[in-house]
Amino acid sequence: MNWNLKFRNWHRDFSYFYAGLLMAFSISGIALNHRHSWDPRDYVYDAVDVKFDLPKDKNAISDEFFQKALKTQGIELKLNGTAWRRGGYNLYFDNAYAYINPFTGEGQIESFRTRPILGQMVDLHKSASDAWVWYSDIFAICVLLICITGLVITKGRNGFKNRGWKLALLGVLIPSVLWFFL
């Protein structure tokens, strides 16, 4: 049995089979790495200015208060909840969000839509459904096989024994050093 040929075939076939998922995970992973700068899943497609006459008694400010005040402004969104964050009132709706300044009562309701393709890739990247967990575990094992077979299929001057081990070691050291200092 020619193991080198078998490894080469496994490497090729697993690479072909998982190429789309590898690209989707890579793209969504890059997007998620920068989620502190922008939302890779949702984008604002509409913004409506609102102003509330906030009562002096903070105990009177509740979900019901905001829901009634929104109706008086002709806004028919269903309020899912409120929270005090970032020094103001946050209002949560289905696919919308608002921050209300507690001093002026002014704010803006931003409505969101999912970014086409990238939003679905991010959802897939973060999914925790049982079926997806099993599939992604199988995917992870196959990625390991792609890596292992990739290490051993090249022989000679550019093979693992002569050149590949140095690059593989560097590929382990760089993230290890970054992890240590971060």
Side-chain angles (χ1 to χ4, degrees):
M1 180 185 311
N2 183 346
W3 279 103
N4 195 41
L5 180 61
K6 213 172 233 348
F7 286 158
R8 186 178 304 277
N9 290 339
W10 287 348
H11 184 82
R12 179 200 61 223
D13 293 344
F14 284 135
S15 296
Y16 286 155
F17 187 80
Y18 286 112
L21 190 54
L22 282 166
M23 287 187 268
F25 267 30
S26 297
I27 292 166
S28 62
I30 291 168
L32 286 168
N33 283 343
H34 299 280
R35 66 185 171 269
H36 63 279
S37 303
W38 66 294
D39 188 336
R41 187 182 183 285
D42 296 327
Y43 68 95
V44 176
Y45 73 90
D46 190 24
V48 176
D49 291 327
V50 291
K51 179 155 176 49
F52 299 96
D53 291 323
L54 299 174
K56 299 277 187 230
D57 179 14
K58 290 189 187 229
N59 293 328
I61 301 173
S62 64
D63 290 5
E64 292 77 25
F65 165 79
F66 282 114
Q67 190 66 66
K68 287 178 187 173
L70 287 167
K71 282 188 182 182
T72 62
Q73 296 182 51
I75 298 171
E76 295 294 327
L77 291 172
K78 179 186 174 289
L79 183 64
N80 293 332
T82 61
W84 177 267
R85 290 202 179 102
R86 298 183 301 147
Y89 297 101
N90 289 344
L91 309 181
Y92 302 99
F93 310 91
D94 291 334
N95 300 318
Y97 163 82
Y99 171 80
I100 308 302
N101 183 313
F103 303 108
T104 64
E106 294 174 347
Q108 194 173 60
I109 298 174
E110 297 177 334
S111 299
F112 300 100
R113 286 199 177 130
T114 300
R115 290 182 197 279
I117 302 170
L118 182 59
Q120 287 78 16
M121 283 193 270
V122 167
D123 288 346
L124 188 64
H125 200 119
K126 296 177 7 178
S127 177
S129 75
D130 289 343
W132 180 249
V133 168
W134 278 103
Y135 185 75
S136 61
D137 286 348
I138 293 166
F139 166 70
I141 291 166
C142 290
V143 169
L144 287 171
L145 286 172
I146 290 169
C147 293
I148 292 166
T149 56
L151 292 173
V152 299
I153 59 175
T154 302
K155 303 289 184 199
R157 167 178 78 121
N158 292 324
F160 186 77
K161 287 181 184 176
N162 292 325
R163 178 177 170 213
W165 72 270
K166 297 171 192 167
L167 293 170
L169 181 63
L170 192 59
V172 170
L173 285 176
I174 291 172
S176 299
V177 168
L178 289 173
W179 175 79
F180 181 75
F181 287 111
L182 298 177

